[in-house]
Amino acid sequence: MSRRARRRRGVAKTGKSWWIRGLLVLAAVVVMAMAGGYLWLRSWLHSEDFRVMLSNAAGEGLGAKSEFGKFRWDGTSVSTESFDAMGEGLVEELHADGMNLGIGLGKVSSGVVQVSGARLNHLEVVLDLSAEAKVEPLPGEIEGTPRSVEVIEKRSAWYSELLPSEVVLTDLEVVRSSLEVKLKAGRAVFGGTRWTVRPEVSNQSYQVEANGGQVRLPWDQVPPLELRQARMRYQDLRVYLTDSEFSVYESGRLALVGEASLTGEGFAFGGRLRDVMAAEVLPEDWKQRLEGRIESEFSVGDSGSGLTIDGSLEVLNGTLTALPVLDHLAAYGGNPRFRRLSLNDARTDYYWKDGSLTVSNLELGSDGLVRLEGMLRMDPDERIDGRFRLGLAPGTLARIPGAETKVFLPGERGLLWTPLRITGTLDDPKEDLTDRLIDAAGERMFELLPETGDKVLRFTRQVVSGDMDSALEDGKAVLEQGNDLLDAGKLLFDGDGTSLDQANDVIRQAEDVAKGVGSLFDSIRGKAEPVAPEPKEEPE
C-alpha cells in the first residue's frame, strides 16, 4: 500500500472517531439535561408555587377559594393534613382531613399534572342549591393561567412556559363523608357515605359510586334512608343517578333513578318501594286497623314550582279490622267476616303537591263480601272530599227495611251497589249513607203500615165469622210483623244515634201498630177461650 493511501485511511478513521465522540457527548448532555430537568421539576413540585397552583386548580373546579395544608412528600406521593374551601356559589364550605395524592408526570410535556390515587379519610361539604347558584371563578383569584405560573413569570419568564398549567384528577376515594345540601324545602343530609370517583374518557364527566351511610331529606313524608349502594354520573353540573338501592323502615327496599341539577334548576326521580309493612307508615290510630305489605311505584320532582309526588300504591295480604263501620255491618248482617276483613284487592293512584293529596282509582275489595271504588281529595288543612261506590253482598242489610231495595241496587260482581260521599276532616269524617238508610227504612215502614191494617181487618172478620184458628194465626203474624219493624228500626239506629228524632217517629208509629194489634188479639182471645168457674167456698 502506498504512502498516500495509508494517509487517506488514517484521516478517515480520525473523522469517524470524532463523530462517535460527538454523539456520546450529546447523549451525555441530554441525560444530564433530563436529570437536571427532573431535579428542577422535582424541586418545583416540592415548592410553595406548586402547592399554590394545586390550590387554585382545585378552587377553579369548585368555584371557591381553596387551600391545601402543608405538603409532605414521599417520592411522587404527597400527603397533607387538610384541605379547605369557602365560596358563595354552589360550594359553600368544604373541609377534608387526611389527604394522600399521587402526582403523575407522564404528561408534563403537554402542560398537565396528573393527580392519581387521591384518598381522603374524611370529607365535609355544604352545597347551596336553595338559589340558582353558578360555579364561577372568584374575582381576582382564578382567571387565565394559574397563580403559581404568574408568580414564576415575574421571577424568570424564560422558563415559565415549561411549567404545567393544568391539573387532571384521575381517581378519588373518600373513606367517610358528611354532605349537606341546602334546598328550597330545607336541608338534605348524607352522612357516613363512602365515595369513589373516576373520570370518563373525555375528562368532562365522572363516574361516581357511593356506599353506605344515612340519608335524611327535608320532607316529612320521607323517612330516613339507609344507603346500600348508588351509581351516578356527573357532567355539566348535573348528576345522573343511574342505579341505587336504599333500606327504609325495618325491612323495606327503595330503588331510585333520575337526575338533579347543581345550579338550582330542579330534579326528577323515579322509584319503587317494596316490602314495607303498613303499620310502619300509618298514623298511630290506624296501625291496629290495617295490616299488610305495601308496594309503590312513583315519580318525584321539583322544577321550580314546588315538590310533586305522583304514583301508585298496592297493599298485599291486606286486612282491615277494628273499624266501627265494619262492626256495624257485622251487626246488621249477622256476618262476623266484616269484623276482620281480608282484602283481595287494595290499590290506588295518588298525587301530592303543596300539601294537597288526591287519591284516585281506589279499589278495596273482599271477594263476595264488600267492595269500595272511587276517589278522595284532602286539602292542606286535612279537609276531605271523597266520592265512592260501595258494593255489598246481598243479604248483608236485609234486616234494615228498604236498604236492599231503595239504597243498594244490583250491579256487577253479584253485589248490591250504592254511591257514598265522605266529607269533613280526617279527625271527624262525615258520610251520607246512614241518613239515606234511615230515610229508606222510614219509607219502607210506612209502606208496610197499610199492609198491617189489612191484616187487622182480615183478622177481625175471621173472629166475627167464628174462624178462630185462622184468626189466631193471622193475629200472631200481624204482631210479629209489628215487632220486626220495631226491631229493624232499633237495629238501624243502635250505631251512633244519627237522626234519632226522625227514627223515633217511625219507631213510635210501628210500636202503636204493634201494641194495637196485640191488645186486639188479647181481647178477642179472652172472649174466645172458656172462662174457668171460680171455686166455691166450702162451708166450715
Side-chain angles (χ1 to χ4, degrees):
M1 180 181 296
S2 65
R3 184 180 299 175
R4 180 178 298 178
R6 287 196 299 271
R7 187 182 297 115
R8 289 176 180 174
R9 187 177 180 182
V11 171
K13 289 183 178 181
T14 303
K16 188 175 180 179
S17 176
W18 278 104
W19 174 252
I20 294 174
R21 291 177 183 177
L23 288 178
L24 292 175
V25 170
L26 180 60
V29 170
V30 171
V31 171
M32 293 178 62
M34 292 178 62
Y38 172 78
L39 294 175
W40 170 81
L41 185 58
R42 181 177 179 181
S43 175
W44 174 75
L45 289 175
H46 291 207
S47 69
E48 181 69 8
D49 290 330
F50 176 73
R51 189 184 69 84
V52 172
M53 188 202 79
L54 208 58
S55 297
N56 281 279
E60 184 177 7
L62 297 172
K65 186 177 181 179
S66 60
E67 183 177 6
F68 285 92
K70 185 177 179 180
F71 283 172
R72 295 190 300 272
W73 288 89
D74 182 10
T76 57
S77 298
V78 61
S79 62
T80 181
E81 290 295 330
S82 65
F83 172 75
D84 294 282
M86 299 285 291
E88 298 179 355
L90 171 65
V91 179
E92 192 172 277
E93 295 181 32
L94 187 149
H95 176 74
D97 293 326
M99 178 180 291
N100 293 277
L101 308 172
I103 306 300
L105 304 177
K107 294 186 177 181
V108 169
S109 59
S110 301
V112 176
V113 173
Q114 291 179 308
V115 177
S116 61
R119 179 185 173 92
L120 307 180
N121 290 334
H122 184 253
L123 176 66
E124 296 180 2
V125 183
V126 178
L127 303 180
D128 188 2
L129 298 181
S130 59
E132 293 187 359
K134 296 183 178 180
V135 179
E136 296 180 351
L138 296 180
E141 286 291 331
I142 309 169
E143 294 182 3
T145 56
R147 179 178 170 184
S148 58
V149 176
E150 295 176 357
V151 172
I152 295 175
E153 281 181 346
K154 294 179 181 179
R155 296 177 182 175
S156 303
W158 67 270
Y159 63 81
S160 62
E161 296 295 332
L162 301 177
L163 296 175
S165 60
E166 183 181 356
V167 178
V168 175
L169 177 67
T170 61
D171 59 284
L172 170 65
E173 181 181 2
V174 180
V175 178
R176 192 170 182 273
S177 67
S178 174
L179 173 61
E180 177 183 333
V181 182
K182 294 183 178 180
L183 304 171
K184 293 179 181 179
R187 299 188 313 156
V189 179
F190 303 76
T193 303
R194 187 185 189 98
W195 301 85
T196 302
V197 182
R198 293 183 177 87
E200 295 184 330
V201 177
S202 64
N203 285 330
Q204 301 298 318
S205 60
Y206 294 86
Q207 293 288 342
V208 182
E209 293 185 9
N211 293 275
Q214 188 179 76
V215 181
R216 292 183 176 271
L217 300 177
W219 302 284
D220 296 335
Q221 299 84 1
V222 183
L225 308 174
E226 297 291 337
L227 176 63
R228 297 171 66 86
Q229 61 85 25
R231 294 183 180 89
M232 61 196 79
R233 183 168 60 89
Y234 169 82
Q235 183 176 8
D236 298 332
L237 297 179
R238 297 189 72 86
V239 176
Y240 301 89
L241 183 62
T242 57
D243 178 46
S244 68
E245 185 176 2
F246 300 84
S247 297
V248 58
Y249 297 111
E250 292 185 5
S251 58
R253 293 289 184 269
L254 172 65
L256 283 177
V257 295
E259 62 181 274
S261 169
L262 299 183
T263 58
E265 297 178 359
F267 58 87
F269 292 95
R272 183 186 178 192
L273 182 68
R274 56 187 175 87
D275 297 335
V276 175
M277 304 309 296
E280 296 177 312
V281 301
L282 293 173
E284 193 65 33
D285 57 342
W286 269 89
K287 288 184 177 180
Q288 304 301 321
R289 298 179 179 180
L290 177 61
E291 300 175 5
R293 181 164 49 88
I294 293 178
E295 292 192 356
S296 177
E297 293 186 0
F298 62 91
S299 60
V300 55
D302 185 352
S303 59
S305 59
L307 179 70
T308 60
I309 304 175
D310 188 4
S312 61
L313 181 144
E314 184 175 7
V315 180
L316 305 177
N317 302 320
T319 301
L320 278 172
T321 186
L323 286 179
V325 64
L326 296 181
D327 292 340
H328 292 164
L329 288 174
Y332 294 161
N335 191 340
R337 288 178 59 192
F338 281 103
R339 299 188 184 277
R340 184 174 177 83
L341 193 65
S342 297
L343 300 176
N344 303 102
D345 293 324
R347 62 177 60 89
T348 186
D349 297 331
Y350 58 89
Y351 179 79
W352 185 94
K353 182 177 181 180
D354 297 332
S356 296
L357 175 66
T358 299
V359 176
S360 58
N361 300 320
L362 174 68
E363 296 181 10
L364 295 175
S366 181
D367 284 350
L369 195 63
V370 62
R371 190 171 184 86
L372 183 68
E373 300 176 353
M375 59 85 63
L376 179 141
R377 291 189 179 91
M378 183 181 72
D379 296 333
D381 58 359
E382 295 190 347
R383 299 195 63 82
I384 58 176
D385 183 9
R387 300 173 186 271
F388 303 94
R389 295 175 66 238
L390 177 62
L392 295 175
T396 301
L397 301 180
R399 297 174 63 186
I400 301 178
E404 296 191 352
T405 57
K406 297 180 177 297
V407 180
F408 287 83
L409 301 177
E412 66 271 18
R413 298 178 182 267
L415 302 177
L416 302 177
W417 294 85
T418 189
L420 174 63
R421 179 84 180 274
I422 296 180
T423 57
T425 65
L426 283 180
D427 294 332
D428 186 21
K430 307 291 184 183
E431 45 82 20
D432 67 342
L433 179 58
T434 300
D435 288 342
R436 289 189 287 120
L437 287 173
I438 291 173
D439 292 341
E443 292 178 11
R444 182 57 182 155
M445 286 179 181
F446 281 118
E447 291 173 356
L448 291 175
L449 289 178
E451 299 176 10
T452 305
D454 290 341
K455 291 185 179 181
V456 171
L457 293 176
R458 186 167 61 252
F459 165 74
T460 305
R461 291 194 191 101
Q462 291 168 345
V463 172
V464 173
S465 64
D467 189 359
M468 294 304 298
D469 292 336
S470 298
L472 289 175
E473 292 298 326
D474 286 345
K476 290 179 180 179
V478 171
L479 183 57
E480 289 174 355
Q481 185 175 20
N483 287 332
D484 287 343
L485 289 175
L486 180 61
D487 292 340
K490 289 181 178 179
L491 178 63
L492 180 62
F493 310 115
D494 276 345
D496 57 2
T498 305
S499 302
L500 284 178
D501 293 337
Q502 180 183 1
N504 286 331
D505 290 339
V506 177
I507 293 174
R508 277 197 299 269
Q509 295 182 52
E511 285 178 334
D512 292 341
V513 173
K515 289 179 180 178
V517 174
S519 299
L520 179 61
F521 172 74
D522 290 338
S523 175
I524 297 176
R525 181 182 178 88
K527 293 179 180 180
E529 293 180 352
V531 179
E534 295 183 1
K536 296 182 180 180
E537 295 183 1
E538 297 290 336
E540 294 181 1

